[in-house]
């Protein structure tokens, strides 16, 4: 075959075009927004609204979820499926909240509407930074500092959301609390008590100020946590461990798609939700195919109500995801500390208030965890034989950490070769401290709403309620929830020497009301099944929820914070899949009134049997602070498990081999 010069040039240009399109062609439809896409959003909206930055602020820029059926078609078809790539934006423009959808491929605005309901979007870091500087130019505050004999140059302030307590007004305000940073970076341990400051974020000015009582500011003694500032003795001594994988990691990361052992899934990221796990599928060795388990999972909201009803604390009932953004609050992971030496890291982007993309290095880490037992048995009852059989468990961990103010939330998604998924939460950081003149418990004469954890320091009682969004797609989109109760049966007919036993009774939830479940009141199993697919012996394939230690809200249902956090009224909820129902606390959480929550949606009592359904699971911790939590607390953790139940025909890791032993110089078994 002969080519003339024009044909060769045409071929070169066509190849260049293919190369330039390759990143777009291989971009997964659920990938988080790229740097270039953030810039496109910023440019498009600025072009439509060419105004100064103080009149245009971006409070949420995220992926506008593609239609689920199109994504599934993309996953299952070998031919290319074109999926629209869109962004959903919440921006405040001239003090009006705009909801804007942008087509990123066409570089155009699809829709632009003004929100007129209650509540406000996520606070931006930029406006909070401006607000916490306001007290230093406010004469009454300066006078309060000097009245207490404090050094103004050693004062530091932080902003706190206020919530809603029946007010008719609808203003974007925050409370500003101040602390002493003198002699320690642990300023949360040194609050300046007795002062109330409220700032209007739109006006950027202090609109309310009270100075009531002077309480002692806790000292800086023994509050420093930086190792460089600490002095011996150190302990307990921990020995070094060398991490070595001679065959390399057992997982592969291609963009945001991960394959490991018998799992494959996608890792997304959102400035509100943080990490998002999608399209989790497990390989069935008997059926020789991947079977989908979870279409999407993430933490939809975190509700942290403090239990001090006094003027200084009553409003501290935070919704970390909806008010501050788990994604915007995600921090870079520290190699060899937050994640082991053999971990691999994934970077991502968040955005500033002016829409500029910000690179977040090491936002997510992925690593294998060794040393557990997968299964084992020792057999001694066979004559002349002694059998020992054990398999080493290797799990895959996907980790990210969000720091919202004083607390750090370590969030793991653990995948097991047995088919289980274990989401876990671990808390560290600083407990919320209230200053007091009390130095010993003998001095306590009334309810202090917490524990005296150090002289002049009260650790306030509070809760942590995480609600997970779990869109199960077990072997397909049509699933049901089955509740299997364990019932005691008395034997009264003399047919056995036993007087009782227990058996099971299974009910299928038909509507949303049937699926509102409080865990722990009676023994029961909750299983999401596919009623259309059965095992060889006739059981419906499914996945069981093994819940964490249950925690239930103790606030009354008519209390304003609980109205907003009504999604914690039950440990388990099930709704029919709705692309717009993503946030259990509502789309606009700051100053919200509880009119757009999971508890409100489910009043429709929609059908959920043999439908595309979403499970919502509340994981809670009632935190009674202790002295060991001060000045910085060791990890406090909880987790739950999504475990295959009649999903496989038999133990899926029966033939899984343990990792081979590796000889290492200087080591002996």
């Amino acid at each position: 075959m002969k080519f003339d010069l024009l044909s060769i040039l045409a071929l070169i240009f066509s190849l260049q075009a293919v190369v330039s399109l390759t990143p777009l062609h291989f971009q997964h439809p659920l990938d988080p927004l790229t740097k270039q896409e953030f810039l496109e959003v910023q440019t498009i909206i600025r072009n439509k609204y060419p105004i100064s930055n103080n009149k245009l602020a971006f409070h949420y820029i995220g992926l506008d979820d593609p239609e689920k059926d199109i994504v599934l078609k993309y996953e299952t078809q070998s031919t290319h499926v074109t999926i629209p790539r869109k962004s959903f934006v919440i921006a405040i423009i001239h003090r009006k909240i705009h909801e804007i959808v942008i087509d990123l491929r066409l570089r155009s605005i699809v829709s632009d509407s003004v929100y007129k309901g209650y509540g406000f979007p996520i606070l931006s870091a930029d406006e909070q930074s401006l607000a916490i500087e306001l007290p230093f130019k406010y004469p009454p505050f300066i006078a309060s500092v000097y009245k207490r004999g404090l050094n103004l140059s050693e004062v530091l302030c932080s902003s706190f959301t206020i919530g809603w307590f029946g007010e008719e007004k609808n203003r974007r305000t925050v409370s500003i609390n101040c602390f002493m940073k003198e002699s320690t970076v642990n300023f949360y341990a040194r609050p300046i008590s007795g002062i109330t400051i409220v700032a209007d974020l739109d006006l950027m000015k202090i609109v309310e100020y009270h100075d009531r009582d002077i309480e002692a500011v806790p000292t800086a003694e023994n509050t420093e946590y930086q190792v460089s500032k600490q002095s011996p003795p150190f302990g307990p001594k921990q020995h070094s461990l060398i991490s070595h994988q001679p065959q390399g990691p057992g997982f592969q990361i291609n963009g945001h798609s991960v394959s490991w052992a018998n799992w494959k899934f996608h890792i997304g990221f959102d400035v509100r939700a943080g990490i998002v796990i999608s399209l989790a599928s497990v390989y069935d060795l008997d059926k020789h195919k991947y079977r989908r388990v979870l279409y999407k999972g993430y933490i939809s909201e975190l509700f942290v109500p403090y239990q001090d009803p006094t003027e200084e604390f009553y409003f501290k009932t935070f919704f970390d995801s909806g008010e501050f953004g788990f994604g915007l609050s995600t921090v870079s992971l520290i190699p060899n500390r937050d994640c082991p030496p053999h971990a691999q890291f994934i970077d991502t982007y968040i955005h500033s208030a002016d829409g500029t993309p910000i690179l977040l290095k090491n936002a997510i880490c992925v690593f294998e965890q060794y040393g557990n037992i997968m299964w084992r048995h020792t057999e001694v009852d066979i004559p002349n034989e002694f059998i020992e059989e054990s398999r080493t468990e290797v799990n895959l961990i996907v980790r990210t950490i969000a720091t919202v103010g004083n607390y750090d939330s370590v969030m793991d998604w653990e995948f097991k070769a047995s088919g289980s998924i274990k989401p876990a939460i671990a808390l560290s950081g600083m407990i919320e401290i209230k200053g007091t003149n009390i130095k010993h418990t003998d001095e306590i004469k009334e309810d202090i709403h917490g524990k005296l954890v150090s002289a002049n320091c009260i650790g306030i009682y509070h809760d942590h309620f995480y609600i997970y969004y779990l869109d199960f797609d077990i072997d397909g989109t049509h699933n049901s929830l089955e509740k299997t109760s364990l019932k005691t049966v008395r034997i009264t007919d003399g047919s056995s020497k036993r007087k009782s036993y227990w058996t099971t009774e299974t009910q299928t939830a038909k509507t949303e009301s049937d699926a509102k479940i409080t865990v722990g009141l009676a023994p029961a199993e909750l299983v999401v099944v596919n009623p259309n697919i059965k095992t060889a012996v006739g059981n419906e394939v499914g996945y069981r929820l093994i819940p964490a230690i249950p925690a239930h809200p103790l606030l009354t249902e008519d209390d304003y914070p609980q109205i907003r956090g009504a999604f914690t009224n039950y440990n388990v909820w099930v709704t029919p899949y709705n692309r717009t129902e993503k946030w259990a606390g509502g789309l606009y959480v700051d100053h919200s009134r509880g009119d757009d929550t999971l508890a409100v949606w489910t009043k429709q009592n929609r059908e959920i049997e043999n439908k595309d359904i979403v499970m919502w699971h509340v994981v809670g911790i009632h935190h009674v602070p202790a002295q060991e939590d001060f000045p910085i607390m060791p990890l406090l953790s909880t987790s739950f498990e999504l475990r295959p139940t009649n999903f496989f025909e038999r133990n899926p890791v029966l033939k899984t081999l343990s990792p081979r032993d590796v000889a290492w110089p200087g080591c002996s078994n």
Side-chain angles (χ1 to χ4, degrees):
M1 184 179 294
K2 294 183 180 180
F3 292 93
D4 58 23
L5 181 59
L6 290 176
S7 299
I8 293 173
L9 289 174
L11 179 61
I12 291 172
F13 285 130
S14 65
L15 288 173
Q16 288 177 334
V18 170
V19 170
S20 68
L21 287 173
T22 297
L24 188 62
H25 178 74
F26 288 102
Q27 185 180 42
H28 193 283
L30 298 180
D31 279 356
L33 298 183
T34 65
K35 177 182 179 180
Q36 185 57 42
E37 288 173 328
F38 274 114
L39 291 171
E40 288 285 356
V41 168
Q42 182 189 50
T43 300
I44 291 168
I45 294 181
R46 279 183 171 179
N47 285 343
K48 181 173 182 181
Y49 298 100
I51 54 180
S52 60
N53 284 341
N54 65 344
K55 295 182 180 179
L56 166 61
F58 295 85
H59 289 259
Y60 175 86
I61 304 175
L63 178 69
D64 187 48
D65 287 338
E67 295 292 344
K68 184 175 181 179
D69 58 343
I70 301 177
V71 175
L72 295 178
K73 188 180 296 184
Y74 173 93
E75 283 288 296
T76 56
Q77 292 188 4
S78 57
T79 56
H80 179 63
V81 177
T82 302
I83 298 181
R85 181 79 172 166
K86 297 178 182 178
S87 175
F88 177 66
V89 180
I90 297 176
I92 296 182
I93 305 171
H94 287 300
R95 299 188 186 177
K96 292 182 179 180
I97 300 172
H98 286 249
E99 298 176 358
I100 304 172
V101 176
I102 294 175
D103 189 312
L104 294 167
R105 300 198 193 283
L106 299 178
R107 296 179 174 86
S108 63
I109 293 177
V110 176
S111 63
D112 182 354
S113 60
V114 174
Y115 172 71
K116 296 181 180 179
Y118 298 120
F120 302 106
I122 296 170
L123 277 65
S124 72
D126 305 62
E127 64 186 349
Q128 292 180 77
S129 296
L130 291 173
I132 62 177
E133 292 300 318
L134 294 174
F136 299 98
K137 301 173 185 177
Y138 192 67
F141 174 75
I142 297 171
S144 294
V145 170
Y146 289 146
K147 182 175 68 174
R148 287 166 169 76
L150 304 176
N151 185 347
L152 185 64
S153 65
E154 294 294 337
V155 175
L156 181 150
C157 299
S158 185
S159 60
F160 295 77
T161 51
I162 291 178
W164 171 71
F165 293 88
E167 306 91 348
E168 286 301 318
K169 65 180 183 296
N170 210 32
R171 295 196 304 176
R172 295 182 62 236
T173 53
V174 292
S175 174
I176 299 175
N177 292 186
C178 299
F179 310 82
M180 292 299 295
K181 61 183 176 65
E182 185 178 28
S183 303
T184 180
V185 297
N186 192 352
F187 62 89
Y188 285 111
R190 306 196 66 204
I192 302 172
S193 300
I195 299 174
T196 297
I197 309 172
V198 177
D200 187 306
L201 294 176
D202 291 326
L203 301 175
M204 202 50 71
K205 62 182 287 188
I206 292 174
V207 293
E208 184 179 337
Y209 186 86
H210 304 288
D211 186 351
R212 296 180 307 282
D213 304 308
I214 296 179
E215 299 279 355
V217 175
T219 68
E221 184 179 2
N222 295 322
T223 62
E224 183 58 69
Y225 56 84
Q226 295 179 102
V227 68
S228 61
K229 301 292 181 65
Q230 294 174 332
S231 57
F234 295 103
K237 186 177 181 180
Q238 300 186 20
H239 289 248
S240 299
L241 173 70
I242 294 176
S243 176
H244 177 57
Q245 292 181 298
Q247 297 171 290
F251 59 89
Q252 290 184 325
I253 303 177
N254 181 14
H256 286 264
S257 296
V258 179
S259 57
W260 169 79
N262 51 347
W263 281 101
K264 64 178 183 179
F265 56 90
H266 181 273
I267 299 175
F269 192 86
D270 179 82
V271 297
R272 177 165 175 174
I275 190 171
V276 179
I277 300 294
S278 300
L279 300 168
S281 300
V282 63
Y283 189 77
D284 189 324
L285 194 62
D286 290 332
K287 297 183 182 297
H288 309 292
K289 67 176 184 178
Y290 278 98
R291 300 170 63 190
R292 194 166 65 254
V293 174
L294 190 70
Y295 178 74
K296 186 173 289 187
Y298 58 88
I299 295 175
S300 177
E301 191 54 85
L302 167 57
F303 178 35
V304 188
Y306 282 83
Q307 304 303 315
D308 185 339
T310 63
E311 182 67 22
E312 195 169 337
F313 255 81
Y314 77 91
F315 59 88
K316 292 190 175 183
T317 54
F318 307 123
F319 294 78
D320 285 4
S321 177
E323 292 176 337
F324 299 99
F326 257 2
L328 292 175
S329 304
T330 295
V331 296
S332 295
L333 299 166
I334 305 171
N336 301 339
R337 296 291 182 270
D338 293 327
C339 309
H342 57 274
Q344 293 188 22
F345 295 84
I346 298 175
D347 302 337
T348 192
Y349 282 91
I350 56 177
H351 64 84
S352 65
D354 69 0
T356 301
I358 301 170
L359 176 63
L360 183 58
K361 295 282 291 182
N362 297 351
I364 301 164
C365 73
V366 182
F367 60 92
E368 289 166 299
Q369 190 175 71
Y370 295 77
N372 295 324
I373 298 172
M374 181 182 290
W375 61 262
R376 75 166 324 280
H377 183 61
T378 299
E379 184 57 70
V380 296
D381 288 337
I382 300 176
N384 304 318
E385 289 194 55
F386 178 74
I387 299 171
E388 283 185 318
E389 196 71 20
S390 181
R391 297 288 194 274
T392 299
E393 183 176 63
V394 180
N395 299 324
L396 187 75
I397 310 291
V398 182
R399 173 171 295 168
T400 189
I401 298 177
T403 300
V404 183
N406 54 310
Y407 266 115
D408 297 63
S409 292
V410 182
M411 294 164 282
D412 286 355
W413 287 81
E414 179 179 344
F415 292 85
K416 293 175 173 287
S418 62
S420 283
I421 305 173
K422 286 189 69 175
I425 287 288
L427 295 168
S428 188
M430 291 78 174
I431 56 176
E432 187 86 11
I433 294 295
K434 182 178 181 179
T436 178
N437 291 325
I438 299 171
K439 294 186 176 182
H440 193 277
T441 56
D442 290 346
E443 303 170 34
I444 299 174
K445 305 302 181 185
E446 57 187 8
D447 192 347
I448 60 173
H449 312 294
K451 288 290 184 182
L452 192 69
V453 295
S454 186
N456 306 121
C457 295
I458 301 171
I460 301 299
Y461 302 138
H462 59 284
D463 301 313
H464 302 265
F465 290 111
Y466 297 83
I467 183 164
Y468 281 79
Y469 173 103
L470 303 166
D471 181 4
F472 282 104
D473 275 359
I474 297 172
D475 271 342
T477 57
H478 281 56
N479 292 174
S480 297
L481 176 73
E482 288 186 350
K483 179 181 179 181
T484 299
S485 301
L486 278 58
K487 302 286 187 180
T488 298
V489 179
R490 290 192 64 86
I491 301 173
T492 58
D493 60 1
S495 60
S496 171
K497 293 184 178 181
R498 292 272 297 274
K499 293 188 176 182
S500 65
Y501 64 94
W502 65 260
T503 189
T504 62
E505 182 180 282
T506 299
Q507 293 179 323
T508 300
K510 298 184 181 300
T511 65
E512 290 174 291
S513 294
D514 297 336
K516 296 176 181 179
I517 297 168
T518 301
V519 172
L521 296 182
E525 287 196 345
L526 301 174
V527 183
V528 176
V529 301
N530 187 327
N532 311 293
I533 299 177
K534 292 181 170 55
T535 63
V537 298
N539 291 312
E540 295 172 335
V541 300
Y543 260 71
R544 181 183 2 158
L545 170 69
I546 302 179
I549 297 173
H552 310 124
L554 297 172
L555 300 181
T556 60
E557 290 193 10
D558 63 346
D559 197 356
Y560 293 108
Q562 193 60 34
I563 292 171
R564 300 173 67 215
F567 54 83
T568 63
N569 289 343
Y570 298 93
N571 301 107
V572 175
W573 310 68
V574 175
T575 59
Y577 172 79
N578 184 321
R579 180 173 163 272
T580 66
E581 294 178 357
K582 299 173 60 176
W583 312 112
L587 182 58
Y588 298 97
V589 178
D590 181 34
H591 290 276
S592 64
R593 304 189 179 189
D595 56 354
D596 177 30
T597 69
L598 175 63
V600 172
W601 309 335
T602 54
K603 289 180 179 179
Q604 300 171 74
N605 202 23
R606 295 164 291 187
E607 293 184 0
I608 57 171
E609 185 180 13
N610 203 10
K611 303 283 186 182
D612 190 356
I613 58 175
V614 175
M615 175 184 282
W616 307 74
H617 180 41
V618 176
V619 177
I621 298 174
H622 295 300
H623 194 171
V624 177
Q627 288 183 226
E628 289 81 1
D629 295 334
F630 184 85
I632 187 167
M633 61 181 286
L635 285 183
L636 176 64
S637 60
T638 185
S639 65
F640 63 98
E641 184 174 353
L642 308 175
R643 185 180 179 91
T645 300
N646 302 319
F647 184 80
F648 299 102
E649 293 293 339
R650 59 190 56 81
N651 179 355
V653 289
L654 179 67
K655 296 182 179 180
T656 299
L657 304 178
S658 297
R660 65 181 179 85
D661 296 331
V662 177
W664 192 256
C667 295
S668 60
N669 292 329

